[in-house]
Amino acid sequence: MSRRIVISTVAGAVVLAGADAFALAYAGDQPPALTDSTARYAAPVADRAGSLSFTTEVTASAGVKSVKVLAWPAASSLAKKGPTAEDMAQVESARCTPAGGHTARCTYRVTVSRGDAGTSPRGRWHVAVLATDEDGRSTLDTKAADFSV
């Protein structure tokens, strides 16, 4: 084999290794990703309380630190601007369990009393989610899922 071919092959391998390292480093710098978000609302019936449950999968290479959840009516003052990250810092957290790799399955569930249901606006609601990873990066999805009341 000529010396020129050996040098070209080695140089090519170094370039490919560098590109792979960059791709891995770049992937590690991504904010959390939300997938498979669903919301389910069950109204109170007779003597049984209702419920709202929300589930999402969060993928974060640094690990999931927190997932905040807020249900809000589409016909409200939030409709113009949507909830902000600052608004979301004050709301309740979902419970997250490992789902394999860098993914966690997060669930938020709240009981809905007859009184709460009676005073809640009717119509379409959205679920906002703020996911934060262990490195402090966050993703805000103001309409991760919808449900009707």
Side-chain angles (χ1 to χ4, degrees):
M1 208 181 321
S2 78
R3 184 170 184 223
R4 178 179 272 166
I5 294 173
V6 170
I7 290 172
S8 294
T9 303
V10 170
V14 168
V15 169
L16 289 175
D20 286 345
F22 175 76
L24 286 173
Y26 182 73
D29 287 343
Q30 297 297 310
L34 303 169
T35 57
D36 300 325
S37 298
T38 59
R40 184 169 177 221
Y41 174 77
V45 179
D47 61 343
R48 277 192 14 224
S51 65
L52 169 64
S53 60
F54 171 78
T55 303
T56 191
E57 291 198 359
V58 182
T59 302
S61 59
V64 177
K65 179 179 180 181
S66 69
V67 174
K68 302 284 194 160
V69 179
L70 173 68
W72 59 281
S76 71
S77 60
L78 286 175
K80 289 183 181 179
K81 66 176 182 112
T84 65
E86 292 78 25
D87 296 332
M88 296 297 292
Q90 306 302 317
V91 302
E92 296 178 342
S93 296
R95 271 201 159 145
C96 298
T97 57
H102 298 289
T103 302
R105 182 166 294 113
C106 302
T107 303
Y108 173 78
R109 185 173 170 88
V110 63
T111 301
V112 178
S113 70
R114 290 182 69 135
D116 291 338
T119 60
S120 294
R122 301 285 180 244
R124 184 178 212 157
W125 285 59
H126 303 295
V127 178
V129 180
L130 177 66
T132 305
D133 71 10
E134 292 291 347
D135 288 342
R137 290 180 299 262
S138 61
T139 296
L140 174 62
D141 186 345
T142 59
K143 296 178 183 175
D146 296 323
F147 64 95
S148 293
V149 172

